[in-house]
């Protein structure tokens, strides 16, 4: 009996057996399945996988190869197996090469590094090897139909009440009742403080000043008898041959009634882009680029632009910055100026480098902004950063208003006129003080030099105006703060995260507490009761979640019925279904976290950060110390005041007295002083940046052209010394 054959045997007999000829089913590579129980990847988890680290390693390897070749070449030329060490190139990187050049006299250390510090009123620029920077006004003059003093019907600055039908208005009433009451209150407080300090206060001091100023008349001096006459900017006779623009000091020396007319533009205001006076953001960026370019050509004598590719640049930025300001600055330095490398440095850290201190609470008083930040071991304490929108320019305007209030003999002064603006700055630098010992009735004089007119010499008396104007730092409501927020976010939108669409400009807890003290922020956690309250034009919409849209088509998920709900028991009228004609009930709509961040950013943009300086310093230190008594003592013992707005005599002692009054428990530890070694406070930050451009650790923060071409502003994540 024959047994039953298997299926394989039957297929073989019939010629249907499957044979393997070694051919694959497809040419596409076959990827095996991942064992999901235990798998691991190192993608972008090591530093050597990032572009910045790889390029740095490649550069180090190339330097070592060049050093080895130079050593072999030196051995071959000498003919001796042992070559002295001084003849072998340094192998410790770029610093060794620069030190060797500096020692041999070929090139001074830092002579190929340009340091730029932008301000709202002045630009400071120079080589890292220079002792002091060049200071240029941050202004550009362009052709226009009318000058800035002729705009808006020749409106005066500071604003004054206009006379009606020739009626004379007393100077005490020209600035309104609010300013008069604040000025008189500050004056009374100063007299009381002086009496408490056993200083002599004459009751008739104000009357002496008013009576003298009323009778003062100018004395005319012919131009050839004036040894300090001004060299005005000369224009060609033919208006068509006039340059398209002037920058810096030349722009401020153009006559207001020149032919053709020129209008002054200040690209930066209060530390922000000046969106109020510009019609396009490209014009703002272009003016900043033109001002810096003219400064490099004229002040640094680098006429040919192709030479700039051999130079590096250290760019000083604010502590509490807008991300768009940094990215646009990077684009300008890399594209327009074609620098070889660029490094960004924060103002407060630069001030500590310039002063040579390790731990400090840096108070930087500029022309139109004041920044406060605690610095420890070369790093800013993020939650201690505060940015206030007042400075030395507000002091200038307040001084002029107080002088006019006390019958200043030159009643026609207008800060929109260029020669009056320069005169006001001169009066502030000469006469303002914060020493109570200098508060007395004193007689001063000044010379008014206007284009096409004889020089006029004025005599006037002052009493407490010269000390009350800078004391506005403690009472900033005396400043004119109404127009500082005009045009904010008109042209330049805030920065948003590319992944979730939330605002990503840096914030600090100290700044938020200052804003909350000025105007309490609304709590948006519970949403709004009106669906129409959130306008799509004013609130940025969060990104679309496509996954939720795909899930909407899923038929397995039961959908809610559109039919009306049955009426409750005991009623005969059913509840109407939701439709186009139905009235929507008032409900609470919860906001997602992204919408909450956008709403909070909209609120903070509408609040002007103006706060007393002494209270802001305490707020910054409290957020930096975090209830640590040791750190609190360290910061209070090292309050360093820098900036051009801090050059008033007696400012540090006056500020120290007020900080002690707010912190009586630490009165023995509080020390407020300027930079050490008699360094000019207005160039301290620039000096620290120049030091940073010459030391070795800054090599890790340089952004090269290759890195910028590949990743652009994304390189800031790897190159910034702080959390970007």
């Amino acid at each position: 009996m024959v047994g039953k054959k298997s299926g394989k045997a039957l297929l073989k007999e019939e010629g249907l057996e499957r044979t393997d000829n070694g051919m694959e089913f497809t040419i596409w590579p076959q990827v095996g399945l991942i064992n999901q129980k235990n798998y691991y990847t190192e993608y972008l988890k090591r530093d050597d996988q990032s572009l910045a680290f790889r390029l740095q390693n490649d550069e180090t390897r190339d330097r070592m190869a060049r050093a080895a070749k130079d050593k072999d070449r030196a051995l071959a030329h000498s003919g001796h197996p042992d070559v002295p060490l001084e003849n072998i190139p340094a192998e410790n990187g770029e610093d060794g090469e620069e030190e060797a050049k500096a020692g041999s006299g070929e090139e001074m250390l830092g002579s190929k590094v340009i340091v730029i510090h932008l301000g709202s009123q002045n630009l400071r620029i120079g080589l890292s090897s220079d002792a002091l920077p060049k200071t240029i006004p941050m202004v550009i003059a362009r052709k226009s139909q009318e000058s800035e003093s002729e705009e808006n019907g020749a409106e005066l600055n500071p604003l004054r009440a206009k006379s009606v039908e020739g009626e004379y208005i007393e100077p005490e009433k020209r600035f309104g009742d609010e300013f008069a009451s604040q000025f008189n209150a500050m004056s009374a407080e100063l007299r009381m403080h002086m009496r408490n300090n056993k200083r002599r206060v004459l009751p008739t001091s104000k009357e002496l000043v008013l009576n003298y100023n009323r009778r003062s008349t100018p004395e005319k001096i012919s131009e050839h008898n004036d040894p300090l006459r001004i060299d005005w900017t000369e224009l060609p006779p033919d208006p068509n041959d006039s340059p398209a623009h002037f920058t810096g000091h030349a722009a401020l020396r153009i006559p207001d009634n020149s032919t053709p007319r020129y209008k002054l533009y200040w690209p930066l205001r209060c530390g922000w882009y000046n969106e109020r006076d510009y019609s396009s953001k490209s014009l703002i960026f272009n003016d900043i680029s033109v001002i810096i370019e003219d400064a490099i050509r004229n002040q640094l004598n680098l006429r040919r632009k192709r030479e700039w590719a051999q130079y590096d640049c250290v760019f000083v930025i604010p502590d509490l910055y807008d991300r768009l300001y940094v990215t646009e600055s990077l684009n300008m330095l890399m594209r327009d100026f074609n620098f070889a490398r660029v490094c960004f440095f924060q103002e407060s850290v630069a001030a500590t480098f310039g002063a040579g201190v390790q731990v400090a609470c840096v108070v930087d008083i500029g022309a139109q902004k004041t920044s406060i930040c605690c610095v420890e071991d070369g790093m800013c304490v993020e939650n201690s950063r505060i940015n206030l929108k007042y400075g030395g320019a507000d002091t200038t305007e307040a001084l002029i208003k107080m002088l006019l209030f006390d019958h200043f003999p030159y009643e026609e002064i207008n800060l929109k006129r260029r020669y009056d603006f320069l005169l006001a700055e001169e009066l502030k630098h000469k006469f303002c003080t914060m020493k109570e010992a200098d508060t007395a009735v004193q007689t001063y004089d000044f010379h008014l030099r206007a284009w096409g007119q004889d020089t006029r010499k004025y005599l006037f008396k002052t009493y407490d105006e010269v000390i009350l104007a800078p004391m506005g730092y403690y009472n900033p409501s005396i400043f004119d703060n109404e127009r500082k927020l005009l045009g904010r976010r008109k042209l330049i939108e805030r920065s948003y995260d590319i992944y979730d669409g939330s605002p990503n400009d840096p914030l600090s807890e100290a700044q938020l507490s200052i804003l909350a003290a000025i105007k309490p922020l609304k709590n948006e956690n519970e949403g709004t009761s009106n669906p129409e309250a959130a306008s799509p034009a004013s609130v940025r919409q969060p990104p679309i979640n496509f996954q939720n849209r795909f899930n909407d088509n899923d038929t397995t998920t039961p959908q809610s019925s559109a039919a009306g709900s049955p009426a409750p028991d005991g009623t005969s009228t059913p509840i109407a279904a939701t439709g186009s004609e139905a009235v929507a009930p008032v409900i609470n709509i919860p906001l997602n976290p992204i919408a909450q961040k956008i709403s909070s950013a909209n609120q903070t943009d509408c609040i002007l950060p103006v706060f007393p300086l002494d209270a802001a310093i305490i707020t910054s230190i409290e957020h930096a110390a975090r209830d640590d008594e040791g750190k609190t003592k360290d910061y209070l013992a090292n309050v360093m005041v820098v900036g051009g707005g801090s050059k008033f005599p007696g400012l540090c002692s006056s500020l120290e007295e007020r900080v002690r009054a707010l912190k009586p428990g630490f009165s023995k530890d509080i020390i407020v002083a300027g930079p050490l070694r008699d360094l000019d406070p207005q160039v301290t930050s620039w000096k620290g940046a120049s030091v940073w451009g010459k030391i070795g650790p800054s090599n890790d923060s340089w952004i090269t052209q290759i890195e910028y071409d590949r990743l652009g502003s994304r390189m800031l994540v790897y190159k910034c010394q702080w959390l970007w």
Side-chain angles (χ1 to χ4, degrees):
M1 181 177 181
V2 180
K4 185 178 180 180
K5 294 184 179 180
S6 63
K8 290 184 178 182
L10 293 174
L11 292 175
K12 187 175 182 180
E13 290 179 358
E14 296 175 1
L16 299 176
E17 182 185 11
R18 179 178 178 179
T19 58
D20 190 4
N21 55 7
M23 297 181 63
E24 297 181 356
F25 290 100
T26 177
I27 61 174
W28 290 95
Q30 301 296 317
V31 180
L33 297 177
I34 299 177
N35 183 5
Q36 298 186 4
K37 293 183 179 180
N38 183 17
Y39 67 92
Y40 178 76
T41 179
E42 293 185 350
Y43 179 65
L44 292 182
K45 290 186 177 180
R46 296 197 311 267
D47 289 339
D48 57 357
Q49 293 176 337
S50 62
L51 176 64
F53 193 85
R54 293 202 311 270
L55 292 177
Q56 187 176 357
N57 287 343
D58 294 343
E59 185 179 356
T60 303
R61 194 181 306 110
D62 293 341
R63 282 201 300 265
M64 294 176 62
R66 289 196 303 269
K69 292 179 181 178
D70 293 340
K71 182 178 179 180
D72 294 340
R73 189 179 301 109
L75 290 172
H77 284 295
S78 63
H80 300 283
D82 298 329
V83 179
L85 295 177
E86 58 268 15
N87 295 333
I88 302 176
E91 300 183 11
N92 56 346
E94 189 172 323
D95 299 327
E97 296 177 2
E98 292 185 356
E99 290 176 2
K101 291 180 180 180
S104 60
E106 297 179 5
E107 197 172 82
M108 187 179 296
L109 185 64
S111 59
K112 290 292 185 180
V113 179
I114 299 176
V115 182
I116 301 176
H117 186 190
L118 291 183
S120 300
Q121 187 165 314
N122 290 311
L123 160 68
R124 292 181 175 87
I125 187 171
L127 297 177
S128 184
S129 57
D130 295 341
L132 293 174
K134 307 292 191 302
T135 301
I136 304 102
M138 191 66 188
V139 62
I140 183 172
R142 292 190 178 276
K143 291 183 179 179
S144 179
Q145 296 295 329
E146 54 186 5
S147 63
E148 64 276 5
S149 61
E150 299 171 342
E151 287 184 331
N152 302 325
E155 185 181 52
L156 299 178
N157 184 24
L159 292 174
R160 282 156 262 183
K162 297 182 179 179
S163 59
V164 180
E165 297 180 356
E167 181 183 358
Y168 179 75
I169 300 178
E170 292 292 332
E172 296 88 348
K173 301 179 181 179
R174 294 179 182 176
F175 301 105
D177 297 335
E178 183 179 358
F179 176 80
S181 61
Q182 288 184 352
F183 181 39
N184 293 329
M186 293 177 63
S187 180
E189 182 183 356
L190 176 63
R191 289 196 298 269
M192 183 182 300
H193 190 270
M194 292 176 63
R195 289 192 183 99
N196 294 337
N197 291 337
K198 308 301 181 182
R199 298 189 183 277
R200 185 182 179 184
V201 179
L202 296 177
T204 60
S205 299
K206 278 287 185 181
E207 287 74 11
L208 292 174
V209 172
L210 296 179
N211 294 331
Y212 184 88
N213 290 340
R214 285 193 187 102
R215 299 191 304 268
S216 179
T217 56
E219 175 189 355
K220 290 187 178 181
I221 303 174
S222 58
E223 185 177 0
H224 63 274
N225 290 330
D226 185 9
L228 300 177
R229 57 182 178 271
I230 297 177
D231 294 330
W232 301 96
T233 301
E234 296 183 0
L235 299 177
D238 188 1
N240 297 325
D241 297 336
S242 300
H245 68 270
F246 290 92
T247 60
H249 296 287
L252 293 177
R253 296 302 185 187
I254 301 176
D256 292 87
N257 55 352
S258 63
T259 304
R261 291 288 194 274
Y262 281 86
K263 181 181 177 182
L264 298 184
Y265 291 93
W266 303 83
L268 298 178
R269 283 290 189 186
C270 299
W272 295 325
Y273 287 123
N274 185 10
E275 304 174 63
R276 183 184 67 189
D277 300 334
Y278 281 85
S279 59
S280 171
K281 64 179 181 180
S282 60
L283 295 177
I284 302 177
F285 302 150
N286 181 61
D287 281 358
I288 295 176
S289 176
V290 170
I291 294 173
I292 297 177
E293 181 176 347
D294 288 354
I296 295 176
R297 293 180 185 273
N298 301 326
Q299 302 298 328
L300 303 184
N301 295 323
L302 299 176
R303 304 289 182 178
R304 293 179 295 182
K305 203 168 184 178
R306 61 184 180 184
E307 297 178 358
W308 300 357
Q310 305 173 10
Y311 286 79
D312 304 332
C313 178
V314 178
F315 196 85
V316 183
I317 62 173
D319 307 315
L320 201 59
Y321 53 85
D322 290 342
R323 290 171 67 100
L324 188 62
Y325 173 78
V326 182
T327 55
E328 289 295 336
S329 300
L330 177 63
N331 296 335
M332 174 186 64
L333 298 173
M334 285 295 189
R335 294 177 184 173
D336 299 345
F337 301 149
N338 197 28
F339 287 130
R341 298 184 302 175
V342 173
C343 169
F344 291 98
F345 206 41
Q346 291 177 300
E347 285 179 340
S348 295
V349 181
T352 58
F353 270 71
V357 297
Q358 185 176 7
V359 178
C361 176
V362 181
V363 182
D364 189 350
I365 305 176
Q368 298 175 9
K369 75 172 181 64
T370 298
S371 60
I372 306 171
C373 181
C374 293
V375 180
E376 183 177 7
D377 296 332
M379 293 291 292
C380 286
V381 182
E382 293 185 356
N383 288 326
S384 69
R385 296 175 293 179
I386 294 177
N387 197 307
L388 306 176
K389 301 306 179 183
Y390 59 80
D394 298 279
T395 305
T396 304
E397 185 176 351
L399 174 65
I400 298 302
K401 293 174 70 174
M402 292 178 182
L403 291 175
L404 291 172
F405 189 90
D406 289 343
H407 294 260
F408 190 57
Y410 179 38
E411 296 182 355
E412 300 83 12
I413 188 170
N414 181 11
L415 296 182
K416 288 186 177 180
R417 285 199 294 256
R418 292 151 200 174
Y419 58 87
D420 283 346
F421 170 76
L422 297 175
L423 172 63
E425 290 290 325
E426 180 184 354
L427 294 177
K428 180 186 69 173
H429 293 313
K430 281 187 176 181
F431 307 134
C432 278
T433 180
M434 297 192 74
K435 293 182 179 180
E436 292 183 357
D438 298 337
T439 305
V441 178
Q442 300 187 30
T443 304
Y444 297 113
D445 65 83
F446 67 90
H447 294 77
L448 176 63
R449 298 177 175 90
W451 184 81
Q453 303 177 17
D454 290 335
T455 302
R456 285 172 284 174
K457 179 181 179 181
Y458 286 87
L459 294 175
F460 69 102
K461 282 189 176 182
T462 64
Y463 176 52
D464 56 359
E465 306 90 347
V466 293
I467 187 174
L468 291 180
M471 287 189 69
Y473 292 157
Y474 312 135
N475 186 18
S477 59
I478 197 69
F479 298 145
D480 186 8
N481 301 315
E482 295 181 358
R483 303 187 62 191
K484 293 182 179 180
L485 280 179
L486 291 181
R488 178 70 171 154
R489 304 298 184 192
K490 181 183 72 173
L491 303 175
I492 302 174
E493 197 176 5
R494 70 172 65 93
S495 175
Y496 292 94
D497 190 271
I498 61 176
Y499 295 104
D500 59 7
S502 61
N504 59 355
D505 282 330
L507 292 173
S508 70
E509 295 180 3
Q511 182 78 1
L512 292 178
S513 64
I514 292 290
L515 297 177
I518 298 172
K519 182 180 180 181
L521 301 177
K522 295 181 181 180
N523 188 4
E524 302 288 347
N525 292 334
E526 297 181 357
T528 177
S529 59
N530 187 3
E532 298 178 358
S535 173
S538 60
V539 179
R540 183 184 176 97
Q541 300 297 327
I544 300 174
N545 191 339
F546 293 99
Q547 184 178 2
N548 294 339
R549 290 201 172 190
F550 295 150
N551 292 339
D552 290 343
N553 299 328
D554 193 353
T555 57
T556 60
T557 304
Q559 303 291 333
S560 59
S561 174
S565 303
D569 296 339
T571 61
S572 59
T573 304
I575 299 177
T578 303
S580 59
E581 299 179 357
V583 178
V586 177
I587 58 175
N588 288 330
I589 302 177
L591 298 177
N592 57 25
I594 298 176
Q596 291 179 15
K597 292 181 180 179
I598 297 175
S599 176
S600 177
N602 290 333
Q603 292 184 55
T604 55
D605 282 345
C606 297
I607 302 175
L608 183 67
V610 173
F611 205 68
L613 182 61
D614 49 349
I617 293 174
I618 297 300
T619 303
S620 176
I621 292 176
E622 288 178 349
H623 283 82
R626 296 286 187 177
D627 297 330
D628 189 338
E629 185 176 353
K631 288 187 176 181
T632 303
K633 290 182 178 180
D634 292 340
Y635 292 133
L636 289 174
N638 295 278
V639 179
M640 184 173 63
V641 183
V642 299
S646 65
K647 299 183 68 175
F648 300 112
L651 172 62
C652 293
S653 58
S654 173
L655 184 58
E656 181 176 327
E657 180 182 355
R658 288 184 171 264
V659 173
R660 285 178 177 174
L662 295 177
K663 280 288 187 180
F666 298 90
S667 59
K668 296 181 180 180
D669 303 315
I670 297 175
I671 299 177
V672 179
L676 304 177
R677 300 191 299 271
D678 296 331
L679 185 64
D680 189 356
Q682 63 182 354
V683 301
T684 305
S685 296
W686 183 93
K687 192 65 178 177
S690 67
V691 173
W692 176 259
K694 293 185 287 187
I695 60 178
S698 62
N699 292 336
D700 297 336
S701 60
W702 291 113
I703 300 176
T704 62
Q705 283 285 353
I706 297 177
E707 295 169 341
Y708 175 77
D709 292 340
R710 295 186 182 180
L711 293 181
S713 60
R714 287 177 291 174
M715 283 302 301
L716 293 170
V717 178
Y718 304 100
K719 294 296 185 175
C720 288
Q721 300 294 322
W722 63 94
L723 182 61
W724 172 252

